Amino acid sequence: MKSTLRTVPLTTAGGAAWTVRAVDGPVPEGQGDLLTTPVAATVPGEVHTDLLTAGVIPDPFDGDNEGELAWIGLTSWTYRTVFDWADDQQAVQELVAEGLDTAATVTLNGTELGRTCNQHRSYRFDVTGLLIAEGNEVVIEFASPVTTANRLSEESGLWPHTNLHPYNAIRKMASNFGWDWGPDVATVGIWRPIRIESWTGVRIDSVRPLAGLEEDRGVLDTKVALAWAEGFSTDATITVEVGGTTNQVTVPAGSTEATVTSTVDAVDRWYPRGYGDQPLYDVTVSLEADAQSDGWRGRVGFRTITMNVAPDENGGPFVLSVNGKPVYVRGANWIPDDAFVTRLNRETYESSIRDAIDGGMNLLRVWGGGIYESDDFYDVCDELGVLVWQDFLFACAAYSEEEPLRGEVEAEARQAVTRLSRHASLALWNGNNENIWGYVEWGWRAPLAGRTWGEGYYFDLLPAIVAELDPRTPYSAGSPFSYDRYIHPNDERNGTMHIWDVWNQVDYSTYRNYKPRFVSEFGFQGPPAWSTLTSVVHDQPLDPYGEQMLVHQKAFEGNLKLERGLGEHLPRWKDINDWHWTTQLNQARAVAYGIEHFRSLFPLNTGAIVWQLNDNWPVVSWAAVDGHGIRKPLWFALRRVYADRLLTVQPREDGPVVAAHNDTDVAWSTEVTVSRRSTAKSGEVLASETFALEVPARSAVLNSLPASVATAGELATEYVEVRAADGASAYWYFAEDTALKLDGDAYTAEVAGTENGYDVTVTATALAKDLALFPDRLEASARVDSGLITLSAGESHTFHVTGASTPAGALGVPVLRSANDLLT
């Protein structure tokens, strides 16, 4: 695809040499050279990562360095590069910055090009006539992000927000200022590519290929925005190729937008994983005008997505359907995958998204306190069939609707919708995270005193932009939301809800008190892997309430809530090793408890999005996968309860039932054996019955647990085992673990080396509950394929470990754990 547009990258990979130095601010003693002597910078990049690479600062994630390095966010920084320019006689030259973080003044050869104050949008500066043959100097001065946010907040009038800094006054990633799972590392930098573009006549400004369906045909409306050089009067021709078809339109000179409609017969439809395949079609856009040319390439998937929130006999549902098929959402909330987002790339995104897929998920919600992710993220989701719920970037705060913020909000939203609208995986645009709920219930109205708070964004501006630029994708005003202005936004009977009294206030058994139509946030905390935790926490002795441990616990009274959350489920720990295992296990059980209950309510309940999939640094948090990429016990629990077919035993008024949810297109027909067994070494089967299980496609059924099995002779020494002939299983206990009699010597383990690691085979001699292997305690690089395995007497399971050498001797506590060893 030829193009007369000339691009000169000013990135480090493109050959540009950048430096960064401090301009002013509280640079600590011993680092004063930063005010006079610059260090090498990477572009795209961030000042923290530049200083770390230069050896000027220690790792911000380690120990209590986060607080020691707070001065960086209070300092202003200047980035500088020098480049030569070969005049190409084109009519227009522009400096294009895809992302500047955040309050910046941009100059070229001493001429100020402009000032920016929005991390979430790109900028284009006209530099025609300013370039010279040798020694062009670009200087970008970034004001202190913390000082800027404080100043803007004071000027605009102090809108309510959570956390320490007024992140709602500035269009910058909110969680960069710290969150209840993330570090306060307010940074600056040229965080996305920057370049010079030189062109004549006309160029493509943006492309929005909107793919849809009309019966068996794919319909692609390709919206092409054009920019014209002053005085250029030649008509342009736009050609679009897709799916073996070629279509062309002529655009009169000066017209800023054109639409090319293409149809693809017998098109292959795109579906989320578990519902069909993910075919993607290449799209090529060519622009010709006299001797000028430009082009664009991308991919689309043909599908329709609808959102049903129409009132029904139970209130109001929340149902996403793809190509007419309702999707039961098994999802997770997604935060920026690193506190320093410029370290992310296609490989890191794919690794984390595969964590979601391997865990049985079909949707990721890009949360509103983060960023609009790079195209790599959405490309991977397109390819792997993961739906994306995309928040606009508003979270847990009130926002001014006056200028200059309003103009920035509109500009960023238009750019975001334009860029992301082509992605087949994009399932929903969501106006905000918890702000409507916050206005109703968090005491904002008094301090706002009648001022705007964001309502106009969520109900007017943003839906209008989506309707204009991406009408094929549903829009929701917020999460949680009941889709009626007269109903509490977090009402369980309507729309989406967030369940946070569990974790913050009450026992996780409270999940069963709710009958939610859809849960878009809920979760429970647990520590990261041992190797992850001890790589950054160096308290001696290691303690849940140690100084550095609390640096890596951001939730209010987080470790106290971990302790309270044990309730009657598990005993208080005896030592730090037990604390780590007990709180990880309790996190996994709490979330699994909730999801099994929600799925047993199908079709009343249509999905859940757990908080959260990932971490952005090593921390005690709600994540299923920690900051070093190690899958916590929670992840293994999610893989079980997010399986396509789930068996679970749930209480009902008339007694326990075996709930079976079949989230596949094929009927589930199997034989189920339910047994009441002894927890002792005998493993005696005290009662057993078998029944046929028949569950239609995309359906759920409830089968009463037979009375002979459902009634225990002794609550503390008996349990129910549910086994399906096809391998599905579930368990039911008559008592909490603290009252359950479990054998402390309930299994044996054997280790055998393999080509790339080792296997650990565990054989139960009595009920062995929630077996888990933690090979990272021996080698941080080790990974295990399974976890939270319950075995009845006589059963065996093999854990496969990769990335490690074979350990010498048998494995026991703290590497091999179970619930049993916490109770003896």
Side-chain angles (χ1 to χ4, degrees), residues 212-286:
L213 293 166
E214 288 183 2
E215 297 181 347
D216 291 332
R217 298 189 310 163
V219 179
L220 181 70
D221 288 328
T222 304
K223 310 284 187 179
V224 183
L226 303 175
W228 298 79
E230 187 176 351
F232 188 77
S233 58
T234 302
D235 293 350
T237 300
I238 297 175
T239 304
V240 175
E241 299 174 52
V242 60
T245 70
T246 301
N247 292 273
Q248 196 172 80
V249 298
T250 298
V251 183
S255 296
T256 56
E257 184 169 287
T259 299
V260 181
T261 299
S262 309
T263 59
V264 179
D265 292 332
V267 72
D268 293 322
R269 300 183 178 203
W270 186 97
Y271 284 95
R273 59 177 302 275
Y275 288 77
D277 296 328
Q278 293 80 47
L280 296 172
Y281 288 75
D282 292 327
V283 179
T284 301
V285 179
S286 302

Side-chain angles (χ1 to χ4, degrees), residues 304-329:
T304 62
I305 293 185
T306 59
M307 178 180 73
N308 176 23
V309 294
D312 60 20
E313 66 277 12
N314 296 304
F318 177 87
V319 181
L320 294 175
S321 296
V322 179
N323 303 327
K325 287 186 178 183
V327 175
Y328 186 85
V329 171

Side-chain angles (χ1 to χ4, degrees), residues 730-750:
Y731 298 90
W732 174 259
Y733 300 94
F734 299 102
E736 295 286 356
D737 279 16
T738 50
L740 199 62
K741 290 184 180 179
L742 294 178
D743 195 312
D745 182 25
Y747 50 87
T748 61
E750 294 181 352

Side-chain angles (χ1 to χ4, degrees), residues 413-431:
R414 286 186 170 278
Q415 287 189 4
V417 176
T418 295
R419 178 170 70 90
L420 302 182
S421 58
R422 70 175 175 87
H423 289 283
S425 56
L426 182 63
L428 183 73
W429 289 102
N430 181 59

Side-chain angles (χ1 to χ4, degrees), residues 24-26 70-77 102-103 117 142-156 158 164-167 169-170 172 177 184 186-188:
D24 57 39
W71 61 270
I72 298 174
L74 294 166
T75 299
S76 297
W77 300 89
T102 290
C117 202
F142 292 95
S144 154
V146 174
T147 302
T148 300
N150 288 336
R151 175 180 59 80
L152 291 172
S153 177
E154 291 169 1
E155 291 174 358
S156 63
L158 302 176
L164 177 62
H165 303 292
Y167 60 84
I170 186 172
K172 175 176 169 61
F177 291 103
D184 183 352
T187 194
V188 303

Side-chain angles (χ1 to χ4, degrees), residues 16 31 53 60 68 74 96 130 145 195 212 263 268 271 318 414 416 464 497 512 515 520 611 631 719 735 817:
Q31 293 173 317
T53 300
E68 296 294 324
L74 294 166
V96 181
L130 296 180
R195 61 187 176 272
T263 59
D268 293 322
Y271 284 95
F318 177 87
R414 286 186 170 278
M497 80 171 301
R512 285 187 179 150
K515 293 183 178 180
S520 46
W611 187 274
R631 295 168 172 179
Y719 69 104
R817 301 295 314 238

